[in-house]
Amino acid sequence: MPAMKRLIMLLMPTVMMSLSLMAADIVTVHGEFTYYGSKTESRADCERNALNGARAKALAEKFGTVVTQDTYQRDVVSAQGESTYFSMLNESALKGEWIADEKEPVYTYELDSDGLYIVTCKVTGKAREIDNRSVEFATSVLRNGTRTVNADTRFRSGDDMYLYLKSPVDGYVAAFLVDAHNNVYSLLPYQGNTKGEIKVKHNKEYVFFDPASADPDHGEVDQLVMTADDELEHNMLYVVFSPQPFAKAVDNYAGENMPRMLSHDEFSKWLVKCRKYDPRMAVKIMNIEIQK
């Protein structure tokens, strides 16, 4: 069962550009990273950190970093002796951005002499060099409230989720949730949106999934309640923004009171295609934790 349920409430001159000119260079990159867990970290925590590290290392090796000193090393003493590995790189230090996985991440596991997890992750994905054309926008996940002070990515089963967004230019928004099993759920546009797009105005604050502050032009408002089957689940929320209209991803009915869904492979192909021909498109990825 997916990590969330959906409740639905009812509320009352284009400039053409050559696709060849808009296309951005997207390349395949590879990375490998070993993460050494602590006493407070679960296997899932170590997997997530190893995955982030592998992606960061792949981007750093292909595109470099803004300040090379930001890529430093850390010594770790384990049962295998002293080893060295890349530290986690801050996104702002990387000169490339991860677009989508090309293959499923591959994990291997060990335990050190203290019984702590050592997780190695290998990744293959699509990426591109960062330029200054993509639009910076503000977004955050809100828990059990619609004000920015409610920003939080740690949920308990039964909590309400909202999404805050503000952009510097007029544009279009989509949002997707990837659960712990790599199922992808389409959250925005809303299920009842007949236009297939969410259009937003510059410098206006939006809170999605909240009927009280809904924009009638966005269609029927869906309310989100987060749930978890396991004791602890990790999801990822993708928020996509562009000043240019983009085609909605093709999704499918997933059941009553559930958001529409698509496969991770279909989602990755859609995202790569959109970003290849739209250098101003930006994506924010937020890690969400749900406790049962």
Side-chain angles (χ1 to χ4, degrees):
M1 184 174 68
M4 64 171 223
K5 294 181 180 178
R6 170 170 290 202
L7 306 175
I8 299 177
M9 294 185 66
L10 298 181
L11 299 179
M12 302 294 316
T14 303
V15 177
M16 300 302 294
M17 298 181 67
S18 166
L19 291 183
S20 62
L21 293 177
M22 294 175 63
D25 291 332
I26 294 179
V27 298
T28 298
V29 295
H30 309 273
E32 179 177 339
F33 183 84
T34 299
Y35 184 79
Y36 296 78
S38 67
K39 293 181 180 179
T40 61
E41 292 176 304
S42 66
R43 174 168 154 168
D45 292 329
C46 295
E47 286 179 352
R48 186 174 70 257
N49 289 328
L51 173 62
N52 291 336
R55 288 174 175 172
K57 189 172 180 181
L59 294 173
E61 291 181 348
K62 179 63 179 179
F63 304 108
T65 57
V66 176
V67 181
T68 56
Q69 286 83 354
D70 286 345
T71 306
Y72 59 93
Q73 295 179 326
R74 173 181 167 191
D75 291 330
V76 175
V77 177
S78 67
Q80 291 74 34
E82 189 175 22
S83 60
T84 305
Y85 69 97
F86 263 71
S87 68
M88 305 302 286
L89 289 169
N90 189 295
E91 277 189 26
S92 63
L94 294 169
K95 295 176 69 176
E97 60 178 340
W98 193 268
I99 303 297
D101 293 337
E102 190 169 281
K103 297 179 181 179
E104 290 287 329
V106 177
Y107 298 94
T108 55
Y109 307 90
E110 295 179 70
L111 293 176
D112 68 9
S113 58
D114 296 320
L116 303 179
Y117 285 108
I118 304 173
V119 181
T120 297
C121 180
K122 295 181 179 179
V123 295
T124 299
K126 295 292 187 182
R128 71 177 178 188
E129 188 172 10
I130 293 175
D131 59 33
N132 59 4
R133 288 178 291 176
S134 61
V135 177
E136 286 292 330
F137 65 98
T139 186
S140 58
V141 176
L142 309 179
R143 182 176 69 90
N144 291 337
T146 58
R147 301 171 59 195
T148 53
V149 294
N150 298 110
D152 199 347
T153 57
R154 295 177 181 267
F155 288 77
R156 290 190 176 275
S157 191
D159 284 346
D160 295 325
M161 191 191 92
Y162 305 94
L163 179 66
Y164 168 86
L165 182 135
K166 183 179 180 181
S167 66
V169 296
D170 293 353
Y172 301 83
V173 179
F176 302 87
L177 184 85
V178 182
D179 72 8
H181 306 289
N182 260 358
N183 299 310
V184 182
Y185 295 91
S186 179
L187 306 185
L188 290 176
Y190 296 131
Q191 290 190 45
N193 186 323
T194 58
K195 297 179 181 178
E197 62 186 28
I198 294 285
K199 188 173 183 179
V200 296
K201 298 179 179 179
H202 69 284
N203 293 332
K204 180 177 179 179
E205 295 183 316
Y206 291 88
V207 177
F208 295 106
F209 314 118
D210 174 35
S213 59
D215 187 326
D217 291 338
H218 295 164
E220 303 173 359
V221 174
D222 302 328
Q223 295 178 268
L224 304 183
V225 179
M226 306 301 283
T227 67
D229 293 331
D230 300 326
E231 289 301 317
L232 182 65
E233 293 188 9
H234 292 95
N235 293 182
M236 290 190 296
L237 181 69
Y238 285 70
V239 182
V240 182
F241 176 85
S242 175
Q244 303 291 338
F246 52 88
K248 179 179 179 292
V250 178
D251 49 31
N252 303 290
Y253 178 74
E256 187 177 0
N257 290 332
M258 292 295 297
R260 295 178 66 84
M261 66 180 295
L262 63 159
S263 71
H264 193 273
D265 183 59
E266 291 170 337
F267 171 67
S268 296
K269 289 179 180 178
W270 172 83
L271 188 58
V272 168
K273 183 178 180 180
C274 285
R275 303 197 76 181
K276 180 178 181 180
Y277 295 112
D278 186 355
R280 298 197 69 192
M281 176 177 280
V283 179
K284 297 287 180 69
I285 305 174
M286 291 171 279
N287 292 306
I288 295 176
E289 181 180 285
I290 310 165
Q291 290 188 336
K292 193 169 183 179

